[in-house]
Amino acid sequence: MTWEPGANLTTVESHILEMQRLHPSASGDFTSLLNDITFAAKIVAREVSRAGLVDILGDTGAQNVQGEAVKKLDEYANRTFMRCVGKRGQVCALASEENEDPVFIAPAEGSGRYLVLFDPLDGSSNIDANVSVGTIFSISRRLSPRDRVSSQDLLQPGRNLAAAGYVIYGSSTMFVYTTGYGVHGFTLDPGIGEFLLSHANIRIPFSATVYSTNEGNEPDWGPAVREIVRQLKHGRAGQAETRMAARYIGSLVADFHRNLLHGGVYLYPGSRRHPQGKLRLMYEANPLAFIVEQAGGYASDGRRAILDIPPRALHERTPLYIGCRDTVLWIEQCLERAAGEPAG
Ligand code: AHG
Ligand code: MN
Ligand code: MN
């Protein structure tokens, strides 16, 4: 791609610096931490784009803490983020889907004011089929004194997040983030190795036109969830103009990204077999909930805002309904009504 001479190009680094200017007292730690993340993302993007060429596909034979097979690129992405992020004293703890326990970083010269949680490679079962995958991350602030950081600092509700974002390794690689001042998207120009601002101030459309869920799980859903999906398909309260199309990739980041840009709702409900659903609160639901609220949408576990859930464990799961605000609120109402009805 060639850029017009003099075009007003904004790299992700300069955008993050501009955001820092909103906080005149900022030390620069937060800015350098975000830069670490974009750097790691570029390394993973390069590796994902070569996944079909090098002998990196396939399972490692190990299982992650969720008991799922670990694909080689999961491990690569995990190592890359672990190595690149927070090595300049900005971070006191790192937690990943792929590691049972968080890594606490001993007090060094730095202030260690931040904690980073991430899902290094989301949608990894799709890698072998060349389907989009992603990385999800969140950044929160340390609460305890520097020498007494513990899991409690990690287990803060999503409402406390300082920043969140994701990378989507798709037909192009994009980095999307928020620090609480809107949601901004950058596309990687592989020729120059820079993420360039392509989607400033993303707002989710008011109305959902697609719903995304794994309907193969329908036999395990309760009657309320079945009825909700039936109405999404046939139109809410029989109104044909509210009928939605189905789109499901099976990579949360990719499903979320499409719905954010085009208007949609993503559902991963609890089921009889898995009452808490599949997705993880701390490094999947919370970061995307922060992003969607910043873009004007909403995320719920069916009863309350995802961001208001008091976390109990690093790897806990939650049902997730996320996307256009109006539709997610309607789902909450349907579930509340069904919970009030006598079982029968
Ligand atoms: P991960 O690859 O990080 O384990 O996440 C997989 C998640 C998420 O990306 C996706 O939306 C969901 O699993 C798909 O689950 P189903 O295959 O059950 O639909
Ligand atoms: Mn995931
Ligand atoms: Mn993952």
Side-chain angles (χ1 to χ4, degrees), residues 119 122 280 284:
D119 176 354
D122 172 71
R280 278 54 64 106
E284 290 183 318

Side-chain angles (χ1 to χ4, degrees), residues 14-132:
S14 59
H15 194 270
I16 290 168
L17 268 175
E18 268 169 42
M19 288 284 152
Q20 184 188 319
R21 288 203 193 96
L22 298 171
H23 303 272
S25 59
S27 65
D29 277 4
F30 186 62
T31 303
S32 78
L33 175 54
L34 279 167
N35 287 333
D36 288 353
I37 293 173
T38 60
F39 179 63
K42 286 179 201 172
I43 297 175
V44 174
R46 185 195 57 188
E47 212 57 30
V48 168
S49 70
R50 298 193 314 184
L53 296 172
V54 291
D55 182 28
I56 201 165
L57 289 177
D59 299 352
T60 59
Q63 292 203 332
N64 71 9
V65 291
Q66 325 292 339
E68 296 153 350
V70 178
K71 303 273 174 178
K72 280 185 183 167
L73 264 175
D74 285 44
E75 227 174 51
Y76 182 86
N78 193 38
R79 274 204 316 273
T80 304
F81 277 88
M82 281 288 180
R83 277 186 193 161
C84 294
V85 173
K87 290 296 135 69
R88 284 173 280 179
Q90 321 97 309
V91 165
C92 59
L94 288 165
S96 159
E97 178 193 18
E98 302 299 339
N99 299 117
E100 174 107 46
D101 298 315
V103 174
F104 293 102
I105 299 168
E109 312 85 66
S111 62
R113 273 192 292 159
Y114 298 103
L115 301 99
V116 182
L117 292 97
F118 57 92
D119 176 354
L121 210 64
D122 172 71
S124 44
S125 65
N126 285 321
I127 296 167
D128 311 28
N130 213 348
V131 172
S132 299

Side-chain angles (χ1 to χ4, degrees), residues 26-300:
S27 65
D29 277 4
F30 186 62
T31 303
S32 78
L33 175 54
L34 279 167
N35 287 333
D36 288 353
I37 293 173
T38 60
F39 179 63
K42 286 179 201 172
I43 297 175
V44 174
R46 185 195 57 188
E47 212 57 30
V48 168
S49 70
R50 298 193 314 184
L53 296 172
V54 291
D55 182 28
I56 201 165
L57 289 177
D59 299 352
T60 59
Q63 292 203 332
N64 71 9
V65 291
Q66 325 292 339
E68 296 153 350
V70 178
K71 303 273 174 178
K72 280 185 183 167
L73 264 175
D74 285 44
E75 227 174 51
Y76 182 86
N78 193 38
R79 274 204 316 273
T80 304
F81 277 88
M82 281 288 180
R83 277 186 193 161
C84 294
V85 173
K87 290 296 135 69
R88 284 173 280 179
Q90 321 97 309
V91 165
C92 59
L94 288 165
S96 159
E97 178 193 18
E98 302 299 339
N99 299 117
E100 174 107 46
D101 298 315
V103 174
F104 293 102
I105 299 168
E109 312 85 66
S111 62
R113 273 192 292 159
Y114 298 103
L115 301 99
V116 182
L117 292 97
F118 57 92
D119 176 354
L121 210 64
D122 172 71
S124 44
S125 65
N126 285 321
I127 296 167
D128 311 28
N130 213 348
V131 172
S132 299
V133 290
T135 296
I136 311 174
F137 69 90
S138 71
I139 303 176
S140 49
R141 296 178 190 87
R142 167 167 61 79
L143 301 173
S144 311
R146 180 71 181 96
D147 52 351
R148 260 176 271 154
V149 181
S150 73
S151 293
Q152 290 317 306
D153 293 83
L154 284 163
L155 298 180
Q156 299 183 50
R159 220 33 101 191
N160 290 1
L161 290 182
Y166 60 85
V167 188
I168 175 166
Y169 311 100
S171 45
S172 27
T173 298
M174 276 192 73
F175 177 84
V176 177
Y177 86 111
T178 182
T179 53
Y181 297 93
V183 180
H184 310 285
F186 301 79
T187 302
L188 182 65
D189 181 336
I192 57 171
E194 295 281 3
F195 283 108
L196 298 169
L197 182 62
S198 52
H199 298 64
N201 209 10
I202 297 171
R203 304 293 297 168
I204 190 167
F206 181 79
S207 299
T209 51
V210 307
Y211 73 95
S212 316
T213 194
N214 183 345
E215 289 202 65
N217 292 332
E218 195 249 15
D220 298 326
W221 290 343
V225 172
R226 271 195 207 146
E227 177 56 19
I228 286 165
V229 173
R230 196 192 67 77
Q231 290 203 40
L232 294 176
K233 218 180 286 185
H234 292 268
R236 277 158 51 177
Q239 295 169 305
E241 63 276 14
T242 63
R243 284 181 59 174
M244 295 182 194
R247 292 283 185 279
Y248 191 69
I249 295 166
S251 285
L252 174 62
V253 167
D255 282 305
F256 175 83
H257 182 70
R258 183 204 49 242
N259 292 353
L260 181 70
L261 296 185
H262 296 160
V265 61
Y266 177 97
L267 307 86
Y268 210 113
S271 62
R272 284 201 199 91
R273 276 202 302 178
H274 303 289
Q276 294 309 309
K278 177 181 186 188
L279 300 170
R280 278 54 64 106
L281 173 65
M282 299 306 291
Y283 40 79
E284 290 183 318
N286 263 341
L288 298 184
F290 185 34
I291 292 167
V292 86
E293 283 205 8
Q294 279 293 312
Y298 181 51
S300 169

